[in-house]
């Protein structure tokens, strides 16, 4: 695959060449590898897709990992910036989150890999910089650049906190072992806002969707309840429990399998919301995370990248 700079946003009118077969919404191949198209709309940032038009006037959305710039494809000696493949060599933390880490997986469940990468200093300092996260084009893998990861952890992002507390770790380094040993610095009262705020807003949307369409995403509802349970434990005990506690597992699975009524689910949500409020009033967690320790760790990581 041609290397590229993930931070560079290509402009409309740029000709591109596809890396792989392109499929429609029915998972049917519509364009082969090596098909030429033109960008007609650029995304606002590198995490979103481009709108590309092909010769037959078909338009599709493609991620930057799915194509090369046509001029660079014709001249392989001309570098197409920094590649994801290169940066993936600098992953320093790899862990499993999602259903497998929660203990809610089925035989068909995907393996969700998350982690951290530490880019070399010369790339970090270059004009192009490095992407805030790496997304594998075919696997469910996401790796955050170390500063982005720490910033999200300081904001009590549930996905990031789960990475720090997951029981399934595939790869670490001494630097990551140090981070895991000090993960308590991210535990603070912000957890109430991030866990409770997100869950309650999502339940309001679900109620509206149920009224309008008569259906909801039950698996999503299950994970919202799981987040409330995790938030309560975090405020009470000062750490994140990723693997679902045995006394809740059957009820959570009954939500996913549509065996719990919406009325029962709403009552449980309300009860947990009240418990979260009470846990917040009584929590011993600090108001804010330990920014100084997080900053010192990041500086140490940057020095190691030298």
């Amino acid at each position: 695959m041609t290397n590229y700079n993930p931070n560079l946003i290509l402009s409309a009118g740029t000709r591109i060449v596809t890396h792989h077969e392109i499929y429609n919404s029915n998972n049917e191949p519509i364009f082969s590898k090596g098909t030429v198209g033109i960008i007609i709309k650029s995304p606002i940032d590198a995490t979103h897709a481009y709108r590309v038009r092909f010769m037959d006037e078909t338009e599709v959305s493609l991620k930057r990992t799915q194509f090369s710039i046509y001029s660079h494809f014709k001249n392989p000696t001309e570098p197409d910036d920094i590649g994801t493949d290169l940066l993936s060599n600098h992953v320093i933390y790899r862990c499993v989150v999602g259903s497998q880490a929660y203990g809610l997986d089925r035989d068909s469940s995907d393996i969700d890999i998350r982690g951290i990468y530490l880019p070399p200093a010369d790339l970090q300092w270059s004009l192009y910089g490095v992407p805030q996260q790496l997304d594998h084009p075919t696997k469910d893998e996401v790796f955050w650049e170390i500063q982005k990861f720490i910033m999200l952890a300081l904001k009590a992002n549930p996905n990031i906190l789960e990475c720090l507390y997951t029981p399934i770790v595939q790869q670490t380094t001494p630097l990551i072992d140090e981070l895991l040993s000090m993960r308590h610095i991210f535990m603070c009262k912000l957890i109430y806002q991030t866990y409770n705020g997100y869950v309650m807003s999502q339940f309001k949307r679900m109620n509206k969707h149920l009224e309008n369409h008569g259906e909801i995403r039950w698996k999503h509802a299950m994970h919202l309840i799981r987040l409330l349970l995790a938030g309560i434990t975090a405020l009470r005990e000062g750490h994140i429990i990723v693997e679902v506690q045995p006394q809740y597992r059957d009820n959570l699975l009954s939500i996913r399998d549509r065996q719990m009524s919406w009325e029962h689910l709403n009552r449980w949500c309300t009860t947990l919301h009240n418990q979260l409020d009470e846990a917040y009033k009584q929590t011993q967690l600090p108001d804010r995370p330990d920014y100084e320790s997080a900053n010192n760790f990041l500086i140490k990581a940057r020095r190691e990248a030298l």
Side-chain angles (χ1 to χ4, degrees):
M1 182 182 294
T2 306
N3 288 337
Y4 67 97
N5 173 13
N7 283 342
L8 179 64
I9 303 299
L10 304 177
S11 61
T14 303
R15 297 179 72 191
I16 61 93
V17 180
T18 59
H19 284 158
H20 311 284
E21 283 190 329
I22 305 300
Y23 296 84
N24 61 18
S25 58
N26 295 322
N27 204 31
E28 301 168 336
I30 55 175
F31 295 110
S32 62
K33 175 182 177 181
T35 302
V36 177
I38 187 169
I39 295 173
I40 60 172
K41 185 177 182 181
S42 301
I44 57 174
D45 57 49
T47 65
H48 291 78
Y50 289 81
R51 194 66 180 170
V52 175
R53 179 182 295 152
F54 293 94
M55 292 291 290
D56 65 352
E57 299 300 320
T58 299
E59 295 179 10
V60 298
S61 295
L62 298 180
K63 292 184 178 180
R64 183 62 183 88
T65 54
Q66 294 178 285
F67 63 83
S68 291
I69 299 173
Y70 181 73
S71 61
H72 295 173
F73 178 81
K74 288 180 63 179
N75 181 11
T77 62
E78 182 180 346
D80 194 356
D81 312 321
I82 305 168
T84 298
D85 291 343
L86 170 63
L87 292 173
S88 295
N89 294 330
H90 297 280
V91 169
I92 59 174
Y93 183 48
R94 184 186 298 264
C95 65
V96 177
V97 294
S99 296
Q100 296 218 356
Y102 306 145
L104 300 171
D105 56 299
R106 293 170 166 167
D107 292 339
S108 59
S109 296
D110 295 329
I111 300 178
D112 301 321
I113 305 296
R114 300 293 181 268
I116 301 171
Y117 85 97
L118 178 61
D122 56 343
L123 296 182
Q124 180 72 30
W125 295 337
S126 71
L127 289 173
Y128 297 111
V130 294
Q132 293 187 335
Q133 69 181 54
L134 306 177
D135 298 273
H136 196 286
T138 59
K139 300 178 182 178
D140 193 355
E141 295 183 356
V142 177
F143 302 102
W144 289 276
E145 198 278 325
I146 193 165
Q147 181 173 344
K148 178 65 173 181
F149 184 93
I150 291 174
M151 291 298 294
L152 289 172
L154 289 169
K155 295 177 181 179
N157 180 288
N159 294 325
I160 298 299
L161 294 181
E162 286 179 1
C163 289
L164 291 171
Y165 283 89
T166 177
I168 310 176
V169 175
Q170 294 185 335
Q171 174 191 347
T172 66
T173 64
L175 184 68
I176 290 299
D177 290 339
E178 180 178 343
L179 178 63
L180 294 179
S181 71
M182 56 186 284
R183 59 193 175 185
H184 60 276
I185 69 171
F186 302 110
M187 301 298 294
C188 64
K189 291 181 180 178
L190 289 176
I191 286 173
Y192 175 80
Q193 299 174 18
T194 56
Y195 281 67
N196 184 62
Y198 174 73
V199 170
M200 300 315 294
S201 66
Q202 288 296 303
F203 260 97
K204 287 181 181 178
R205 289 185 179 183
M206 279 191 170
N207 263 310
K208 186 174 182 179
H209 195 274
L210 186 64
E211 293 173 1
N212 295 333
H213 304 282
E215 186 57 90
I216 64 167
R217 292 184 296 154
W218 290 96
K219 182 178 179 180
H220 184 50
M222 175 189 73
H223 285 301
L224 293 177
I225 293 294
R226 182 191 57 77
L227 278 175
L228 285 177
L229 290 168
I232 292 168
T233 301
L235 291 171
R236 287 175 176 173
E237 302 180 14
H239 61 89
I240 303 295
I241 294 182
V242 176
E243 185 173 9
V244 170
Q245 295 170 298
Q247 65 266 34
Y248 302 123
R249 187 175 186 274
D250 287 344
N251 281 333
L252 288 171
L253 292 176
S254 71
I255 298 174
R256 185 185 66 186
D257 297 333
R258 306 184 183 190
Q259 295 173 354
M260 181 180 293
S261 68
W262 176 247
E263 292 74 17
H264 187 179
L265 176 59
N266 257 321
R267 287 197 298 271
W268 194 12
C269 177
T270 300
T271 298
L272 293 178
H273 172 65
N274 293 335
Q275 291 178 9
L276 192 69
D277 284 345
E278 191 62 29
Y280 177 70
K281 294 176 183 177
Q282 299 179 7
T283 186
Q284 298 300 308
L285 290 177
D287 291 337
R288 294 291 182 266
D290 186 345
Y291 289 101
E292 184 177 359
S293 294
N295 187 58
N296 290 338
F297 174 81
L298 179 60
I299 292 172
K300 179 178 180 178
R302 292 285 186 235
R303 286 173 176 160
E304 287 200 9
L306 290 172

